[in-house]
């Protein structure tokens, strides 16, 4: 059995920290009152550490006290020590982000900012948290109300609560400072365009000196306190767009402290950034940095030899390392469950063998099961690193298995943005188009959302590394080996699948690759430099590649490293010299002032004017998983910059319905410029059901200061139809009239159906499921890597069309496409194979086969019939595991995700609980794959 019970945990709710804090502060000053206290996590250098945060009142003043504690939960006043005190005064800005109903996050995000100093907190989603935020709002409102009536408080009472080793809190009253010219309130208003680069500190917050934090790897990126918002290095689980507010982004994206003109400050800032970007060459200088890119498919092996000849190949140390691995873990379970110990082994190996002539800090590490990317930078550059972010895209079967896909890291150094993508594309000699599709998926779906939405292409310098798996075609294996051994690489490259596409298609458009002057890097007998001598005798190929894109990149070398023999692939590396844009302070100030003067003049003289290329859109015959798109072109025909933004309609959670995507949703258009807005319609498993049953239609209105209708007609599909409706359909769904489809899709439609009276019949299982299962059983039961190798999107669309129209009689496409279509069909069911209402009952009985069978008795017969039919099919597949490489635990894990889906309200962001639920689902299905099942 592969289910482990959750460990016992301490119930922290029984401890009341408010009373403990009150006792502690009363010992210092009995007039102080602890209004409320909550336990939370403080983000220091983007590492979570537990804290108690209290709102303390003293007469009309309020302040936020942050306490460290020797234990969590705390039990006495001796456990607590004051670490920081933040006055609730006019300089305090706070921003909260509430858990939404959509993602059901379990934490509030709270930013407390005074001057340039910012404190970031994550607070559990509890009633006490809501009370804390309510009290904080009231305290801030009270401060605002009395600000104009009395002298500002100096908050001197805070000093008595500070430990002796803390500096005292300075007076906040500017009227009592020695300004040199009494009565001149503008004496200290100095223009400082580089304030946004965080080179200045603020005295607006009292804090003890922090020793920082280093994990056991000692390689966490260190950023000064004033730069906390720049990097999310150690906060890999944060899934909110917490940094998108202007307050946080003003330091990240260019200019702060911009005077308020006729426009709101946020809009004005964006105009300034647009003009400054256009004149960037006038105030930046180019400085060369050396960037090392390395990639290695390690074939599930552990590091058993030094990596010096790979990572320290060059005499002088690189400034930046970007190191990618593929196939870290080859176990079937790792494809679905993301936990693995292999990444720690290889991270340590990399850290141990970075160039000894320099000291490095890790910028970011990101992993998608077997695909991992590590980015390091020399310590001397860490102060200039900002906007660190990452994303992952799985291209494996079902779109979530991590056996194939890409991981990306992007950040800015000085004024240049860098992006590194490490990918593992589809394998096998003939899967040429699947590799192309994987590239397109990774490139289009990668989104860096932590600060503001960025795509891969929206970076200055891009490096794409990995096992791209492109092979050599139209040569026999003996010719390839002969040319390789003789060093005649020029005779191989014209037959390389990737080389034939670069510059000739949309695949890696705009990317370059250095001259290949080394042997193919795949496939070798593990532990040797001998070509593959196994029964399959794979043809040598240049699977492992390094590509780059952007101006100012000069590749210095491009090598493979034949002496490393741990894997059946050889590692590859390339060294690049790149021009990085560094701001010249004096020139920047001059250009900035000119931009501000120009903007002031334009705002006073002109009105905004825009023109739309079209004011209404209609998409005819939209089909399931078949994307449709069009463009809206907005032209600025006026004399001043214009910001366009699509906004939410009243009570709507987003700017458009879920089947419609608008990119970009916001943009700045300078005079005479245009912006192309992509309108994409895509109906998939989460949206098809409501379109089938009439709860939704292809009809939406985009609000862009005026209305832009977007509409169309959707062709109903069996994908997204309910089991209850499908077993009543005698013909293809396209032959069914829409009113009849809506009728049978209505919940309980079978309850009033008199089959004997109508002379009709019901299918035991939907005919669409039968056709796909029967096809796999008849034509692919021995297919290698069945349910592990993805299908092709184009073939899946043909399969959908065949099932929806009834023609042709035989399903089109390969076996892998039919297998993925079956999974997609089951995922698209409005209610899962085992209805969601029985989800928890099945999980609770997952450790016992008898209880699991009893749980199934509570679900409708037609759902139970489908479950029994599919389990019988899977048991048949396992009889041929020597051929199809299927494993019972792998199938139980995969189909556990498909058969058992929770209600939305039951989903969780707690990784441990989520993993436990996954294992229970797998355990439940495991019973029915290892035992015959009959009612």
């Amino acid at each position: 059995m592969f289910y482990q019970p959750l460990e016992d945990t301490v119930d922290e709710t029984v401890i009341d920290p408010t009373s403990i804090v009150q006792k502690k502060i009363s010992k210092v000053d009995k007039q102080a009152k602890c209004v409320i206290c909550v336990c939370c996590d403080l983000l220091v250098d983007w590492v979570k550490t537990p804290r108690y945060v209290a709102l303390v009142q003293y007469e009309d003043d309020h302040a936020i006290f942050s306490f460290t504690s020797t234990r969590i939960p705390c039990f006495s006043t001796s456990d607590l020590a004051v670490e920081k005190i933040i006055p609730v005064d006019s300089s305090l800005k706070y921003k909260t982000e509430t858990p939404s109903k959509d993602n059901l996050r379990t934490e509030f995000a709270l930013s407390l900012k005074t001057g340039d100093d910012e404190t970031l907190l994550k607070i559990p989603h509890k009633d006490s948290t809501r009370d804390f935020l309510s009290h904080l709002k009231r305290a801030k409102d009270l401060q605002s109300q009395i600000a104009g009536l009395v002298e500002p408080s100096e908050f001197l009472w805070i000093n008595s609560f500070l430990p002796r080793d803390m500096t005292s809190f300075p007076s906040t009253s500017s009227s009592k400072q020695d300004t040199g010219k009494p009565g001149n309130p503008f004496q200290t208003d100095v223009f400082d365009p580089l304030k946004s680069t965080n080179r200045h500190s603020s005295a607006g917050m009292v804090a003890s000196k922090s020793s920082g934090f280093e994990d056991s790897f000692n390689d966490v990126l260190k950023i000064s306190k004033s730069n906390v918002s720049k990097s999310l290095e150690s906060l890999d689980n944060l899934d909110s767009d917490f940094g998108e507010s202007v307050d946080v982004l003003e330091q990240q994206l260019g200019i702060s402290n911009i005077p308020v003109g006729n426009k709101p400050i946020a809009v004005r800032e964006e105009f300034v950034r647009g003009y400054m970007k256009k004149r960037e060459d006038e105030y930046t200088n180019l400085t060369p940095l050396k960037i090392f890119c390395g990639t290695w498919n390690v074939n599930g092996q552990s590091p058993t030899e030094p990596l010096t000849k790979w990572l320290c190949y060059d005499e002088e140390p690189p400034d930046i390392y970007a190191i990618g691995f593929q196939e870290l873990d080859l176990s079937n379970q790792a494809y679905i469950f993301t936990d693995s110990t292999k990444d720690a082994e290889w991270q340590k190996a990399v850290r141990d063998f970075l160039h000894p002539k320099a000291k490095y800090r890790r910028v970011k590490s990101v992993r998608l099961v077997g695909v991992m990317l590590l980015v390091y930078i020399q310590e001397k550059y860490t102060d200039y690193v900002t906007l660190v972010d990452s994303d992952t895209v799985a291209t494996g079967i079902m779109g979530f298995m991590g056996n194939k896909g890409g991981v990306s890291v992007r950040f800015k150094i000085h004024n240049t943005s860098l992006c590194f993508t490490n990918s593992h594309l589809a394998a096998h000699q003939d899967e040429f188009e699947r590799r192309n599709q994987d590239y397109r998926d990774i490139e289009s779906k990668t989104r860096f959302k932590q600060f503001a939405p960025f795509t891969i292409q929206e970076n200055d310098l891009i490096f794409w590394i990995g096992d791209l798996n492109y092979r050599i075609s139209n040569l026999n294996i003996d010719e390839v080996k002969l040319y390789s051994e003789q060093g005649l690489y020029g005779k191989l490259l014209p037959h390389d699948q990737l080389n034939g596409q670069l510059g000739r298609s949309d695949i890696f458009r705009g990317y370059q690759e250095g001259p290949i002057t080394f042997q193919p890097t795949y496939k070798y007998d593990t532990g040797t430099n001998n070509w593959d001598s196994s029964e399959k005798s794979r043809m040598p190929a240049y699977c492992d590649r390094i590509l780059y894109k952007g101006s100012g990149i000069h590749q210095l070398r491009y090598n493979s490293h034949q002496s490393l023999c741990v894997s059946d692939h050889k590692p590859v590396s390339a060294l690049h010299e790149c021009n990085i844009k560094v701001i010249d302070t004096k020139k920047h100030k001059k250009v900035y002032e000119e931009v501000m003067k120009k903007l002031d003049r334009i705002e006073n003289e002109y009105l905004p004017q825009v023109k739309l290329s079209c004011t209404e859109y209609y998409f005819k015959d939209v089909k399931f998983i078949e994307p449709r798109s069009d463009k809206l072109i907005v032209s600025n025909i006026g004399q001043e910059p214009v910001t366009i933004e699509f906004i939410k309609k009243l009570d709507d959670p987003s700017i458009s319905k879920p089947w419609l995507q608008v990119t970009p949703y916001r943009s700045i258009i300078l005079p005479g410029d245009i912006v192309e807005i992509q309108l994409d319609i895509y109906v998939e498993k989460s949206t098809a059901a409501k379109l089938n049953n009439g709860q939704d239609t292809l009809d939406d209105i985009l609000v862009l200061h005026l209305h832009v209708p977007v509409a169309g007609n959707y062709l109903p599909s069996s994908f997204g139809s309910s089991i209850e409706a499908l077993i009543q359909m005698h013909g293809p769904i396209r032959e069914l009239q829409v009113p009849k489809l809506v009728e049978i899709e209505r919940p309980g439609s079978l309850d009033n159906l008199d089959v004997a009276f109508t002379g009709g019949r019901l299918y035991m299982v939907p005919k669409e499921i039968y056709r796909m299962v029967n096809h796999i059983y008849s034509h692919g039961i021995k297919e290698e890597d069945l349910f592990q190798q993805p299908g092709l999107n184009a073939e899946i669309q043909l399969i959908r069309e065949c099932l929806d129209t009834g023609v042709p009689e035989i399903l089109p496409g390969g076996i892998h496409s039919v297998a993925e279509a079956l999974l997609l069909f089951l995922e698209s069911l409005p209610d899962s194979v085992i209805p969601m209402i029985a989800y928890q009952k099945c999980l609770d009985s997952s450790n016992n086969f008898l209880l699991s069978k009893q749980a199934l008795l509570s679900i409708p017969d037609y759902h139970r019939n489908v479950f029994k039919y599919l389990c019988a099919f899977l048991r048949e597949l396992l009889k041929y595991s020597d051929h199809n490489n299927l494993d019972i635990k792998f199938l139980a894990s995969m189909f556990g995700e498909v058969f058992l889906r929770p209600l939305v309200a039951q989903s969780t962001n707690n990784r441990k609980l989520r993993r436990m639920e996954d294992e229970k689902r797998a355990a439940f299905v495991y019973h029915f794959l290892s035992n015959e099942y009959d009612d």
Side-chain angles (χ1 to χ4, degrees):
M1 192 62 58
F2 42 96
Y3 154 66
Q4 295 293 331
L6 181 67
E7 297 175 1
D8 292 334
T9 56
V10 178
D11 184 4
E12 297 180 18
T13 60
V14 299
I15 308 299
D16 180 15
T18 302
S19 59
I20 298 176
V21 170
Q22 181 62 59
K23 291 180 182 178
K24 186 171 186 68
I25 62 177
S26 295
K27 295 178 181 178
V28 179
D29 193 324
K30 293 185 178 180
Q31 292 189 60
K33 175 188 175 183
C34 179
V35 179
I36 190 170
C37 178
V38 293
C39 185
C40 62
D41 285 320
L42 174 69
L43 308 185
V44 178
D45 287 341
W46 294 101
V47 178
K48 285 187 177 183
T49 50
R51 292 291 186 272
Y52 283 98
V53 175
L55 182 65
V56 175
Q57 181 178 1
Y58 189 92
E59 297 181 350
D60 289 333
D61 288 347
H62 289 81
I64 301 169
F65 283 50
S66 175
F67 296 92
T68 60
S69 180
T70 57
R71 53 184 169 177
I72 302 291
C74 66
F75 291 95
S76 67
T77 57
S78 60
D79 293 338
L80 298 175
V82 175
E83 178 191 46
K84 181 183 299 183
I85 302 178
I86 307 171
V88 180
D89 60 8
S90 59
S91 66
L92 175 64
K93 296 179 180 179
Y94 73 96
K95 176 181 181 292
T96 61
E97 188 167 40
T98 308
S100 67
K101 296 180 180 180
D102 294 334
N103 57 26
L104 297 170
R105 291 200 317 273
T106 57
E107 295 176 315
F108 285 80
L110 174 63
S111 166
L112 301 169
K113 188 175 182 181
T114 303
D116 288 339
D117 209 340
E118 184 174 24
T119 300
L120 300 177
L121 304 172
K122 298 289 281 188
I123 312 178
H125 187 187
K126 298 179 180 178
D127 291 340
S128 58
T129 301
R130 295 184 180 275
D131 293 340
F132 177 86
L133 296 174
S134 297
H135 284 295
L136 176 58
K137 183 179 185 303
R138 283 196 289 269
K140 182 66 175 172
D141 292 343
L142 176 63
Q143 182 275 327
S144 300
Q145 292 170 11
I146 66 174
L149 304 177
V150 298
E151 282 286 317
S153 171
E154 297 181 7
F155 285 89
L156 296 178
W157 59 274
I158 288 178
N159 291 327
S160 58
F161 294 89
L162 298 174
R164 294 178 181 177
D165 58 347
M166 282 192 189
T167 57
S168 62
F169 183 75
S171 171
T172 61
S173 176
S174 59
S175 62
K176 296 188 179 184
Q177 294 177 359
D178 183 6
T179 62
K181 282 188 178 182
N184 179 8
F186 304 103
Q187 174 74 21
T188 58
D189 286 357
V190 180
F191 173 75
D192 188 358
L194 286 186
K195 187 173 183 179
S196 62
T197 60
N198 294 320
R199 298 292 177 264
H200 310 284
S201 60
S202 170
M205 182 177 293
V206 183
S208 62
K209 294 182 179 180
S210 172
S211 60
F213 174 86
E214 292 188 358
D215 63 13
S216 59
F217 298 144
N218 194 33
D219 59 359
V220 175
L221 173 63
K222 296 293 184 179
I223 297 181
S224 65
K225 274 291 183 81
S226 62
N227 290 344
V228 162
S229 64
K230 292 180 178 178
S231 172
L232 295 185
E233 148 55 27
S234 297
L235 207 57
D236 294 332
N237 292 328
L238 185 63
D239 57 7
S240 65
D241 296 338
F242 188 72
E244 289 187 356
S245 70
V246 173
D247 282 345
V248 177
L249 282 175
E250 64 182 6
Q251 294 179 342
Q252 304 293 345
L253 298 178
I255 305 297
S256 66
N257 290 345
I258 299 175
V260 179
N262 297 332
K263 288 183 166 47
I265 187 168
V267 176
R268 192 176 173 90
E269 285 180 349
E270 292 190 46
F271 289 164
V272 172
R273 282 196 290 273
Y275 278 122
M276 293 296 289
K277 182 67 177 177
K278 209 166 188 177
R279 299 180 59 180
E280 189 176 41
D281 292 342
E282 299 179 37
Y283 59 85
T284 57
N285 300 317
L286 298 179
T287 298
L289 289 185
K290 289 183 178 179
I291 298 178
F292 174 103
C293 292
T295 177
W296 195 2
N297 182 320
V298 296
N299 193 34
Q301 305 298 313
S302 296
T304 57
E305 54 186 330
L307 306 183
T308 309
K309 293 182 180 179
W310 179 35
L311 301 181
C312 302
Y313 185 86
D314 304 291
E315 182 68 23
E316 295 301 318
D319 299 296
I320 296 173
Y321 275 104
I323 304 165
F325 293 98
Q326 307 84 40
E327 293 192 357
L328 282 178
D329 194 333
L330 293 179
S331 65
N332 281 338
Q333 291 295 299
Y335 288 168
I336 295 181
F337 299 142
T338 58
D339 296 344
S340 175
T341 60
K342 292 288 187 179
D343 63 331
E345 296 178 4
W346 282 100
Q347 285 200 50
K348 184 179 185 303
V350 167
R351 190 174 62 255
D352 290 345
F353 292 102
L354 293 176
H355 208 293
K357 291 185 179 181
K359 292 183 178 180
Y360 293 90
R361 293 293 183 186
R362 191 178 70 202
V363 178
K364 187 75 175 176
S365 67
V366 58
R367 181 175 66 87
L368 177 68
V369 186
V371 184
M372 181 170 70
L373 177 61
L374 306 173
V375 179
Y376 287 85
I377 192 168
Q378 286 197 33
E379 272 190 345
K380 60 185 179 182
Y381 298 113
T382 56
D383 286 343
Y384 309 105
V385 174
T386 61
L387 289 171
V388 181
D389 204 352
S390 66
D391 194 24
T392 65
V393 174
T395 60
I397 194 166
M398 296 170 65
F400 69 81
M401 287 177 54
N403 51 341
K404 295 293 187 293
V407 297
S408 301
V409 170
R410 67 93 59 189
F411 61 93
K412 285 189 73 173
I413 179 166
H414 287 292
N415 216 42
T416 298
S417 57
L418 304 177
C419 178
F420 300 97
T421 295
N422 173 33
S423 67
H424 190 191
L425 307 186
H428 304 305
Q429 182 80 21
D430 299 329
E431 295 292 339
F432 174 79
E433 183 52 43
R434 180 69 213 194
R435 286 186 274 280
N436 292 346
Q437 181 175 302
D438 285 352
Y439 159 75
R440 295 186 187 104
D441 287 345
I442 296 168
E443 195 277 334
S444 63
K445 294 179 180 178
T446 298
R447 288 290 185 273
F448 303 103
K449 298 180 288 187
Q450 193 62 60
F451 300 94
F454 290 104
T455 65
I456 290 177
Q457 299 305 322
E458 292 177 309
N459 290 278
D460 298 320
L461 307 179
I462 307 168
F463 299 88
W464 195 303
I465 66 178
D467 180 0
L468 306 187
N469 253 323
Y470 287 100
R471 307 303 172 93
I472 294 173
S473 303
N474 303 320
L475 289 177
N476 64 51
I477 189 170
D478 293 330
E479 289 176 310
V480 174
K481 290 181 178 179
L482 178 64
Y483 294 152
S484 299
E485 291 162 2
Q486 293 180 349
L488 301 175
Y489 310 124
K491 292 191 174 183
L492 296 176
L493 293 175
H495 302 279
D496 176 75
Q497 294 173 345
L498 177 59
N499 188 62
Q501 295 187 98
L502 285 178
R504 301 177 181 89
S505 71
D506 67 315
I507 304 304
F508 291 102
R509 178 174 290 157
Y511 286 86
Q512 300 180 60
E513 184 178 26
I516 294 179
T517 58
F518 48 86
Q519 284 191 1
T521 56
Y522 171 85
K523 178 180 183 180
Y524 296 85
D525 289 337
T526 301
T528 74
N529 284 319
N530 302 324
W531 300 116
D532 178 27
S533 61
S534 68
E535 182 180 350
K536 294 180 180 179
S537 189
R538 301 285 193 190
M539 182 182 291
Y542 290 105
C543 291
D544 310 282
R545 314 291 274 267
I546 297 174
L547 310 177
Y548 58 92
K549 182 178 182 179
S551 61
I553 302 177
H554 175 57
Q555 191 175 83
L556 303 177
R557 63 165 185 83
Y558 190 18
N559 303 86
S560 69
H561 303 270
Q562 297 294 120
S563 62
L564 295 177
C565 302
V566 170
S567 172
D568 57 355
H569 289 248
K570 297 299 180 183
V572 173
S573 70
L575 187 68
H576 310 84
E577 185 173 82
C578 304
N579 289 327
I580 303 298
K581 292 171 285 190
V582 180
I583 292 177
D584 182 299
T585 307
K586 292 183 179 179
K587 293 179 181 178
H588 182 279
K589 180 176 180 179
K590 181 176 181 295
V591 173
Y592 178 82
E593 290 173 339
E594 291 174 0
V595 167
M596 293 303 298
K597 289 177 182 178
K598 179 179 180 179
L599 188 58
D600 287 338
R601 179 177 59 81
I602 290 175
E603 286 181 343
N604 291 328
E605 295 179 5
Y606 301 103
L607 292 175
Q609 290 180 289
V610 296
K611 179 182 178 182
L612 305 183
S613 61
C614 184
T615 57
E616 187 172 355
Y617 290 84
Y618 187 84
F619 295 83
K620 183 176 175 59
D621 294 345
V622 175
K623 299 177 182 178
F624 180 77
I625 65 165
E626 194 165 307
R628 300 282 296 278
S629 64
D630 206 337
K631 289 189 184 319
L632 168 64
I633 300 176
V634 184
S635 308
N636 185 350
I637 59 176
Q639 299 298 315
E640 75 160 318
V642 173
T643 292
I644 61 167
E645 180 178 8
F646 292 92
I647 61 176
K648 301 175 186 177
K649 297 178 285 294
L650 185 64
D651 297 329
D652 282 357
S654 61
I655 64 172
S656 64
K657 291 185 177 181
W659 42 262
L660 175 60
Q661 184 75 30
V662 181
T663 310
Y665 74 94
R666 179 176 183 162
S667 183
I668 299 173
I669 315 176
L670 298 179
D673 285 353
I674 66 170
V675 62
E676 287 189 353
I677 297 171
Q678 183 87 2
L679 304 178
D680 294 306
I681 287 184
Y682 188 69
V683 178
E684 41 84 48
K685 59 188 179 185
S686 65
T687 53
K690 288 186 177 180
L691 291 169
N692 277 340
N693 62 29
Q695 293 183 42
D696 194 10
T697 59
L698 282 187
D699 192 3
D700 200 2
I701 293 178
L702 299 175
V703 181
L704 180 69
H705 305 301
L706 49 85
H707 290 175
V708 180
V710 178
N713 67 295
Y714 177 66
L715 298 179
S717 175
S718 54
F719 288 75
S721 294
S722 66
I723 294 177
E724 187 175 10
L726 288 166
I727 63 173
Q728 300 180 62
M729 296 182 199
H730 297 159
I733 192 172
R734 293 278 177 82
E735 296 179 359
L736 202 64
Q737 295 296 319
V738 172
K740 180 63 177 177
L741 176 61
V742 172
E743 178 186 336
I744 64 175
E745 281 286 2
R746 189 175 295 114
S749 63
L750 282 175
D751 295 344
N752 300 320
L753 180 65
D754 189 338
V755 177
F757 177 78
T758 60
R761 70 183 190 278
L762 299 177
Y763 288 105
M764 288 291 292
V765 298
K767 58 186 180 302
E768 293 82 5
I769 293 178
Y770 168 79
R771 290 189 67 183
M772 287 185 282
V773 166
N774 185 62
H775 185 91
I776 297 171
Y777 183 80
S778 302
H779 303 286
I781 198 167
K782 295 183 179 180
E783 183 75 20
E784 183 180 2
D785 294 335
L786 187 61
F787 286 111
Q788 299 166 65
Q789 184 73 17
L792 293 172
N793 283 352
E795 292 183 353
I796 295 173
Q797 289 173 8
L798 292 175
I799 294 166
R800 176 217 65 214
E801 200 68 7
C802 175
L803 295 174
D804 289 348
T805 63
V807 292
E809 292 185 5
I810 299 177
L811 290 178
I815 290 299
H816 295 302
S817 294
V818 177
E820 186 167 3
L822 174 61
L823 290 168
L824 179 60
F825 190 94
L826 299 175
E827 284 187 292
S828 302
L829 292 170
D831 200 359
S832 47
V833 173
I834 297 176
M836 298 177 192
I837 196 170
Y839 177 80
Q840 193 59 49
K841 188 173 185 179
C842 292
L843 259 58
D844 294 340
S845 63
S846 62
N847 60 349
N848 183 281
F849 182 41
L850 180 61
L851 293 177
S852 297
K853 289 197 295 182
Q854 291 176 352
L856 289 179
L857 295 177
S858 64
I859 70 175
D861 291 344
Y862 46 90
H863 277 268
R864 190 163 59 251
N865 289 339
V866 173
F867 178 75
K868 289 167 60 178
Y869 178 68
L870 290 171
C871 286
F873 166 61
L874 297 178
R875 289 196 298 269
E876 284 297 310
L877 293 183
L878 288 170
K879 294 178 181 179
Y880 299 89
S881 58
D882 290 343
H883 300 277
N884 55 36
N885 297 330
L886 287 174
D887 171 80
I888 187 170
K889 288 187 177 181
F890 171 73
L891 283 181
S893 301
M894 169 180 278
F895 281 88
E897 295 273 349
V898 176
F899 290 162
L900 284 159
R901 298 205 307 262
L903 293 167
V904 175
Q906 292 176 304
S907 63
T908 174
N909 283 327
N910 183 298
R911 288 186 64 189
K912 188 172 182 179
L913 292 178
R914 189 166 62 245
R915 172 61 186 267
M916 186 176 70
E917 283 197 11
D918 290 342
E919 291 179 344
K920 285 185 175 182
R921 285 189 282 190
F924 183 88
V925 175
Y926 184 92
H927 292 306
F928 299 94
L929 301 187
S930 56
N931 297 282
E932 294 289 336
Y933 169 53
D934 197 349
D935 295 341

